[in-house]
Amino acid sequence: QVQLVESGGGFVQAGGSLRLSCTASGDMTCISAMGWNRQFPGKARELVAAITNNGNTYAPNSLKDRVTISRDVAKNTVYLQMNSVKPEDSAVYYCNAEWATTLCGYGTDYWGKGITVTVSS
């Protein structure tokens, strides 16, 4: 089992920056990557950024100029930095740990409880 705890959400002024943290605990043996997703009301979750165990990062084209994902391996913590935030970035942000199916066979991803970010104009 893996537990994920997010922190750093809250209110942010438009044009500013936000930094979210996600600390993982438990058995990380079968985790291949960690990431941040977000969910708008009535919409499906969408990927914001991800980082693999090898340190490779990914963000969709629509966000890659504004987001940076990083990690502190010693602390089992992944960080999301988003710059030039906009009111439309307001959402619930979820940390996830991706199950390594190739390595460990069938399994499911782990998710944090989510943290609300509200960007005020």
Side-chain angles (χ1 to χ4, degrees):
Q1 288 287 327
V2 173
Q3 294 78 42
L4 303 172
V5 178
E6 301 115 331
S7 61
F11 291 90
V12 186
Q13 196 78 14
S17 298
L18 67 86
R19 180 178 167 90
L20 304 178
S21 301
C22 173
T23 299
S25 60
D27 186 358
M28 300 291 286
T29 304
C30 289
I31 301 302
S32 60
M34 292 184 66
W36 285 94
N37 295 255
R38 65 184 181 182
Q39 188 168 23
F40 303 109
K43 303 290 186 181
R45 290 181 192 179
E46 62 179 42
L47 179 68
V48 177
I51 185 166
T52 70
N53 286 348
N54 293 330
N56 295 321
T57 62
Y58 171 80
N61 288 336
S62 60
L63 291 172
K64 65 179 182 179
D65 290 339
R66 297 196 294 124
V67 301
T68 302
I69 188 168
S70 60
R71 63 179 183 171
D72 185 328
V73 176
K75 295 181 179 180
N76 258 351
T77 299
V78 173
Y79 305 96
L80 177 72
Q81 175 88 17
M82 180 179 288
N83 299 322
S84 303
V85 296
K86 311 170 186 177
E88 49 264 44
D89 291 319
S90 299
V92 179
Y93 285 72
Y94 294 91
C95 176
N96 83 297
E98 184 175 323
W99 182 265
T101 302
T102 303
L103 178 66
C104 297
Y106 177 78
T108 58
D109 294 351
Y110 295 96
W111 291 87
K113 293 182 179 180
I115 193 165
T116 300
V117 172
T118 304
V119 181
S120 58
S121 57

